[in-house]
Amino acid sequence: MTASLALAVSPLSPPTTAVAAPRHRVTYDHYSVSIDGQRVLLRSAEFHYFRLPSPDLWRDVLEKYKAAGFNAVSMYFDWAYHSPKPGVYDFTGVRDVDRLLTIAQQAGLYVIARPGPYINAETTGGGFPAWLKNVPGRARSSAPGYTAAYRDWLGHIDPIIARHQITRGGSVILYNVENEYAAATDAAYMEDVQKKARADGIDVPTMTNDCCDAASWTSTWASGQGAVQIPGVDDYPQSFDCPNADTTWGPWGAGLTERLREDSPVFAAEYQGGSIDSYNGGYDKCRELTGPAFMKFFYKSNLIEAGATAFNYYMGFGGTNWGWLAQPNDVYTSYDYGSAITENRTLTAKYDEFKRQNGLLATTAPVLAETDPVTAPASSDQAIETVARANPDTHTQFVLVRHSDHAATTDDSATLDWTTPDGRYQVPVRVKGRDAKVLIAGYDLGGQRLVWSNSELMTHVEAGGRDVAVLYGTDGTQGSTVLRYSSRPTVQVLSGSVKSSYSPRPTDPGLPPGSSTGDLRLDYTHSGLARVLISGGGRRPLLLLLGTDAEAARFWQAGPVLVRGTSLVRSATVAGGTAYVRADTAKAEDVEVFGDARRLVVNGSPVRTRPTTSGSLLGTLPGPKAVHLPALTGWRSKAESPEAQPAFDDSSWTAATKTTTESPLKPKTPTVLYADDYGYHYGDVWYRGRFTATGAETRVSLNAFTGKRGSYLVWLNGRYLGSAAGGVEADADAPVNPDPGRGDFTIPAGLVKAGQQAVLSVLVENQGHNDDWTADDNRFKQPRGLYAVSVTGAGDAPISWRIQGARGGENLTDRTRGPLNNGGLYGERAGWHLPGYPDGSWTAGAATTVTPGVTWQRTSFRLDLPQGQDVPIALRFGGPVGQGYRVQIFLNGWNLGQYGGDIGPQTDFTLPAGLLRGHGRNTLALAIVARADATPAPVSLVALDDERGGVPVSDVPSPSFR
Ligand code: GAL
């Protein structure tokens, strides 16, 4: 295709241009990354496509990233998600990462590509497919078996990433090698991953994310064999202690990113943006733990004190551990992460804080991306301290103001004796609690000269021949801003209460003799939104918008315009005097547009506006229509677990006859009973063992590994004997627990008869695989399934075992939903979770009580949501979290999670649009696995937000029962 320029103009959509993608160059130096020689302040947040199985929603989230002022997105690529079997890979449908990278670029985001091979991420196996447990050689080392496996993965994923590199017209700018590779390292392996990447066409700089306190590990990968070009560091200063959010403040350090190389920038490769819910506090507490107060103090400190110019916040949006994606030790179904954007894609107060801070970084990037530490202004009060950096060319200063006692919660004021590039000033500052501010002096703000301000700068744009700037400060605090003019300007206070004074400075140093300049000083209290229009004075006009934190957060800077109001501005352009804005609204509300425009079109509809004294356009946008969700009725239910019955035909099951395993933990059974060794890697696994009884059997003792949160259920000759909790990750740590996941079950008298065959049936939940953070096969290759079996009173007759997990094992039968969707429950193997399964013969009504084993209930419901609205919907379980049973939730055949007291505190389960048909019929199937008699909690649909706008979402193909 030639580099043609196609221009299409219609009154309701902006002109579009199609040009051949230009190629760019990525370089870096001591200060920052640069693209085509322009310094870039990298503002990234982490996003996991594999935790959002609806490709159109990738666009929704990535547009929300962009609207928060991020210019980049960091993404892991999860090997396990794409590979059900050695040599087999899938990159289609919800796994279409080529589409993902296109969407990221369309959203205007650079991409930090992180294909591992190891990713951690609290995903099953830390991203390693479970089949890798059967591959000889230590994972994360240069052992030949592992090497062949990861090269195959990289050989599939790298070329997709490579064609999206900025050097080839895409937006991938960095390539992350490995992940927190700190323990049991092997430099040859680290080097080979990079060689392989280069061979696969990766030509952007390589980077890595060292763990926390990088210098304390064997290597920082900054030099020597295996070194990357830009070593970054991960920091989670606030820990993961969500339940104690209100008393936690930086237990894991100051969170200052270390400089690891002189010739590459300080890179916060993963900086805490939320938290895993390790202690079941619920994600609202995680959001509190890592809320705006933490963000202000730690992020701004890191910016100024550490001088980082590249940031990736982990996570911006967490998503869902749907199917068997969760690594069971740290997370349950929700991976909301207490992020700025919730699992349901709604925006929070943390999002506002990102928007404020990113605004400063984006708007001052040309100077802020190149700074050195400088002497900070002295504070008149010891309670308040300052730290400063300045650009060596413009001398613009960035001064961090915070409490000297970093944990202080007091309210203190001081005067800074501040020698700015434009003269020496006494600047009043006030720090309330754990606030921190970044103040600027000596800054060319568009066509203006900002001498200093004790308000923080959020953004400024040039629109219609004038500058418009947003400054903000804590509600109720005093604010002052000083601007320089060559003569007295005209000051009009359009709203709010602002005092102004002008003082000539004829002796200003550095100016040619005789020239006269002067300072315009504005004094105000941060309260609501004040507007000041300054004109004359030898400069183009300036509209100053002086607000509180909350008022600042109402602004959106999108392309050439500044918008005030709406719940989200996704994008904006101006063409031919019309501003074309894409925005979401949660209610009818005013929208105000500052830009070079006389007309406004929002979401394709013209909006009647009037011009304001602020030179903006003011109009009103409609809100969404109310949404009514149907009650879930018409249930049908059916109990299964036929595998528990002695007569069940298991002849098609896999005979467990192997005698060797790659697992470092050798089984105590004569043949290997580990599920992975037979290709059953995810979800539930059934075992049936036959032996000839002596009649004297009194007890069955088992050891099983399920991973944390898991248990197993035991039947003998069809009689339920009970359940036990399975072995967990810690059992594989030295000293290895010799008796993991132990259960002892009494055999009732008369249940087995001498000389007759007895059938032991065991349902083992596999809650997912351990990660490999320590690069230790004891941990990663810890098995799942039965480890030891003994029957007290039995003779020498061996038990012969058959095993059955997900239908087809590694040979996927449901390629659309992929390897992590299903385990081996009878109903799953028979398609009971699928739309269209004929359940007409099932018992009418929901399963109000269940007995030990597996019971299913199904219903269907129709949705007809208003067009052009985004309504995130969840399935809510009522009452306190149920005990003694767990529920697997299938929506249109997709396994959207697990509910239950053993699993976690979660009661709302996200049903993502796309999987959920907003305009059509949906099938809901619940598989209830009960360890005891139980009364399952009632379920209902809830709408967690309602926005007019959103992105078009098409239905994700969801094959029906056949
Ligand atoms: C980091 C790791 C991430 C994730 C995070 C905690 O150590 O690199 O993958 O596990 O911790 O959520």
Side-chain angles (χ1 to χ4, degrees):
M1 204 179 84
T2 55
S4 67
L5 189 75
L7 208 64
V9 190
S10 94
L12 298 181
S13 59
T16 53
T17 53
V19 289
R23 292 155 179 252
H24 303 277
R25 219 161 61 90
V26 191
T27 53
Y28 59 92
D29 63 9
H30 175 85
Y31 293 108
S32 75
V33 166
S34 294
I35 293 173
D36 296 335
Q38 299 289 309
R39 291 204 179 281
V40 173
L41 229 153
L42 215 53
R43 310 176 300 280
S44 168
E46 185 80 15
F47 172 73
H48 298 158
Y49 65 89
F50 46 89
R51 289 187 157 119
L52 185 55
S54 177
D56 286 321
L57 294 184
W58 298 341
R59 185 183 306 279
D60 177 58
V61 172
L62 295 181
E63 286 185 352
K64 285 169 175 162
Y65 276 28
K66 179 73 178 176
F70 290 109
N71 62 355
V73 55
S74 166
M75 43 179 80
Y76 283 135
F77 295 86
D78 185 343
W79 183 359
Y81 194 68
H82 296 275
S83 182
K85 181 181 179 177
V88 178
Y89 290 88
D90 183 282
F91 296 98
T92 63
V94 299
R95 281 168 257 281
D96 187 349
V97 294
D98 184 77
R99 179 171 173 192
L100 167 74
L101 290 167
T102 300
I103 291 172
Q105 182 169 17
Q106 288 168 344
L109 296 169
Y110 297 126
V111 174
I112 300 170
R114 311 208 297 160
Y118 181 70
I119 63 171
N120 208 57
E122 291 81 54
T123 182
T124 184
F128 283 153
W131 57 253
L132 190 65
K133 292 165 79 170
N134 299 334
V135 171
R138 182 169 69 92
R140 306 184 82 189
S141 80
S142 28
Y146 173 66
T147 303
Y150 82 72
R151 282 193 186 153
D152 195 33
W153 158 242
L154 293 180
H156 283 88
I157 191 69
D158 282 346
I160 303 175
I161 295 170
R163 63 176 181 262
H164 285 275
Q165 291 174 109
I166 197 164
T167 50
R168 299 196 198 168
S171 72
V172 173
I173 58 165
L174 294 173
Y175 182 92
N176 194 127
V177 183
E178 252 284 343
N179 189 86
E180 293 191 341
Y181 191 39
T185 55
D186 176 340
Y189 157 58
M190 191 69 180
E191 185 179 30
D192 189 64
V193 174
Q194 293 170 73
K195 280 197 183 139
K196 174 68 179 143
R198 296 300 187 212
D200 289 337
I202 299 298
D203 56 13
V204 294
T206 57
M207 56 163 284
T208 195
N209 58 317
D210 281 310
C211 182
C212 36
D213 201 4
S216 68
W217 299 97
T218 29
S219 177
T220 61
W221 309 113
S223 61
Q225 190 184 15
V228 297
Q229 289 171 289
I230 310 181
V233 187
D234 297 353
D235 266 299
Y236 291 79
Q238 191 67 331
S239 83
F240 302 135
D241 191 6
C242 304
N244 292 308
D246 42 354
T247 52
T248 304
W249 191 249
W252 290 356
L256 298 178
T257 308
E258 295 155 273
R259 171 174 283 288
L260 298 177
R261 266 173 87 139
E262 282 307 314
D263 63 351
S264 72
V266 178
F267 184 5
E270 272 180 34
Y271 203 95
Q272 184 158 23
S275 175
I276 43 176
D277 187 19
S278 309
Y279 311 105
N280 289 351
Y283 284 110
D284 287 344
K285 295 297 277 180
C286 299
R287 210 172 332 274
E288 200 182 313
L289 180 77
T290 56
F294 161 76
M295 296 168 75
K296 279 172 189 274
F297 190 92
F298 284 84
Y299 297 2
K300 291 177 185 179
S301 294
N302 197 33
L303 174 73
I304 302 300
E305 220 181 325
T309 58
F311 305 87
N312 173 46
Y313 291 99
Y314 190 104
M315 307 283 308
F317 162 87
T320 306
N321 290 310
W322 67 277
W324 295 103
L325 198 54
Q327 170 261 70
N329 303 301
D330 294 299
V331 288
Y332 41 89
T333 298
S334 175
Y335 198 72
D336 174 279
Y337 216 83
S339 304
I341 304 174
T342 68
E343 185 184 5
N344 287 291
R345 300 176 292 103
T346 60
L347 311 184
T348 66
K350 290 180 63 174
Y351 185 90
D352 290 346
E353 182 56 26
F354 269 130
K355 196 161 59 145
R356 284 185 292 261
Q357 292 195 32
N358 281 337
L360 170 78
L361 269 62
T363 208
T364 64
V367 278
L368 184 53
E370 181 181 344
T371 61
D372 295 310
V374 294
T375 307
S379 163
S380 65
D381 188 319
Q382 281 181 3
I384 290 177
E385 72 175 4
T386 56
V387 182
R389 309 186 71 82
N391 180 288
D393 303 320
T394 67
H395 307 294
T396 304
Q397 293 179 16
F398 297 87
V399 175
L400 174 72
V401 181
R402 63 180 180 194
H403 270 124
S404 311
D405 169 359
H406 296 174
T409 54
T410 49
D411 182 350
D412 294 283
S413 295
T415 303
L416 305 186
D417 182 357
W418 192 347
T419 303
T420 77
D422 300 319
R424 187 171 170 186
Y425 293 86
Q426 302 299 306
V427 175
V429 290
R430 179 168 166 195
V431 181
K432 277 176 95 169
R434 288 166 173 168
D435 197 5
K437 300 170 196 298
V438 176
L439 307 184
I440 306 182
Y443 175 64
D444 288 329
L445 184 155
Q448 319 295 324
R449 179 67 174 177
L450 177 67
V451 177
W452 61 263
S453 177
N454 66 6
S455 299
E456 294 189 88
L457 175 65
M458 176 159 144
T459 189
H460 59 90
V461 296
E462 198 232 304
R466 58 179 196 160
D467 292 304
V468 181
V470 180
L471 283 89
Y472 68 97
T474 313
D475 194 9
T477 62
Q478 181 276 342
S480 299
T481 296
V482 174
L483 296 147
R484 177 126 326 154
Y485 291 93
S486 59
S487 61
R488 180 185 295 273
T490 305
V491 178
Q492 276 174 274
V493 178
L494 303 175
S495 68
S497 164
V498 179
K499 285 201 192 99
S500 70
S501 58
Y502 183 76
S503 56
R505 295 173 57 88
T507 56
D508 211 354
L511 288 170
S515 52
S516 135
T517 65
D519 283 355
L520 173 71
R521 178 171 171 139
L522 304 172
D523 292 294
Y524 44 90
T525 298
H526 296 108
S527 164
L529 183 70
R531 300 171 182 236
V532 184
L533 181 63
I534 306 163
S535 46
R539 297 185 186 275
R540 66 189 185 207
L542 166 67
L543 176 69
L544 267 186
L545 302 163
L546 305 165
T548 56
D549 280 21
E551 282 296 331
R554 299 195 62 205
F555 284 94
W556 302 90
Q557 209 252 286
V561 303
L562 192 62
V563 179
R564 180 169 173 267
T566 78
S567 35
L568 171 71
V569 173
R570 295 175 180 271
S571 67
T573 53
V574 175
T578 302
Y580 299 89
V581 174
R582 290 171 56 235
D584 291 9
T585 48
K587 58 182 192 314
E589 65 170 314
D590 283 354
V591 62
E592 185 176 7
V593 178
F594 302 82
D596 203 358
R598 298 177 305 281
R599 285 176 303 275
L600 175 63
V601 172
V602 176
N603 299 342
S605 301
V607 177
R608 191 199 300 265
T609 58
R610 60 178 177 79
T612 70
T613 52
S614 300
S616 56
L617 294 176
L618 188 65
T620 304
L621 297 181
K625 292 187 186 128
V627 165
H628 305 284
L629 298 179
L632 295 174
T633 56
W635 291 99
R636 291 192 170 269
S637 65
K638 187 176 169 81
E640 40 119 309
S641 330
E643 301 90 338
Q645 299 309 317
F648 178 81
D649 178 6
D650 60 16
S651 57
S652 65
W653 289 18
T654 310
T657 52
K658 293 191 179 182
T659 50
T660 59
T661 177
E662 284 305 322
S663 177
L665 215 69
K666 301 306 170 196
K668 291 188 174 171
T669 48
T671 61
V672 178
L673 298 180
Y674 300 159
D676 293 299
D677 291 60
Y678 299 96
Y680 299 122
H681 299 305
Y682 304 103
D684 296 87
V685 178
W686 275 100
Y687 291 87
R688 284 169 54 87
R690 286 185 177 75
F691 60 97
T692 306
T694 61
E697 288 84 353
T698 53
R699 194 171 72 160
V700 180
S701 296
L702 300 171
N703 292 90
F705 284 102
T706 58
K708 197 174 153 188
R709 305 167 210 267
S711 51
Y712 57 97
L713 288 71
V714 183
W715 288 261
L716 183 63
N717 284 349
R719 176 88 63 93
Y720 181 61
L721 300 186
S723 73
V728 300
E729 177 190 66
D731 293 327
D733 288 345
V736 173
N737 179 2
D739 200 12
R742 167 80 177 258
D744 295 293
F745 306 94
T746 304
I747 301 176
L751 185 60
V752 290
K753 304 229 162 26
Q756 291 191 6
Q757 182 175 274
V759 180
L760 193 56
S761 298
V762 187
L763 173 61
V764 181
E765 303 169 5
N766 170 359
Q767 290 291 336
H769 299 277
N770 295 342
D771 64 31
D772 195 20
W773 199 91
T774 45
D776 175 356
D777 273 4
N778 285 321
R779 174 162 163 165
F780 165 56
K781 288 182 177 161
Q782 186 190 52
R784 293 291 178 260
L786 293 179
Y787 169 63
V789 180
S790 67
V791 181
T792 311
D796 295 337
I799 308 179
S800 69
W801 288 96
R802 284 184 180 267
I803 175 171
Q804 177 65 54
R807 194 152 72 98
E810 289 180 354
N811 299 313
L812 272 191
T813 53
D814 185 347
R815 289 169 48 192
T816 307
R817 299 182 182 88
L820 302 172
N821 196 64
N822 287 109
L825 294 181
Y826 181 86
E828 290 182 279
R829 297 184 335 255
W832 293 11
H833 59 298
L834 295 172
Y837 180 82
D839 58 14
S841 64
W842 291 18
T843 309
T848 42
T849 55
V850 292
T851 52
V854 187
T855 305
W856 288 69
Q857 63 181 57
R858 288 170 52 97
T859 189
S860 72
F861 59 92
R862 239 198 100 74
L863 288 181
D864 199 5
L865 301 174
Q867 295 289 346
Q869 283 184 208
D870 185 359
V871 185
I873 291 172
L875 185 72
R876 176 166 293 172
F877 287 76
V881 182
Q883 300 297 328
Y885 68 97
R886 64 188 172 97
V887 182
Q888 264 169 253
I889 302 155
F890 292 94
L891 174 73
N892 296 326
W894 297 80
N895 176 353
L896 293 184
Q898 269 195 105
Y899 161 87
D902 296 345
I903 308 300
Q906 190 176 354
T907 51
D908 280 3
F909 290 78
T910 298
L911 308 177
L915 295 190
L916 181 68
R917 276 131 179 65
H919 309 275
R921 186 149 287 283
N922 293 278
T923 301
L924 188 63
L926 305 178
I928 306 161
V929 183
R931 292 192 282 111
D933 291 348
T935 305
V939 292
S940 59
L941 298 174
V942 286
L944 296 170
D945 192 11
D946 184 7
E947 301 281 344
R948 190 184 183 97
V951 296
V953 178
S954 41
D955 291 344
V956 176
S958 300
S960 293
F961 176 78
R962 270 186 301 158

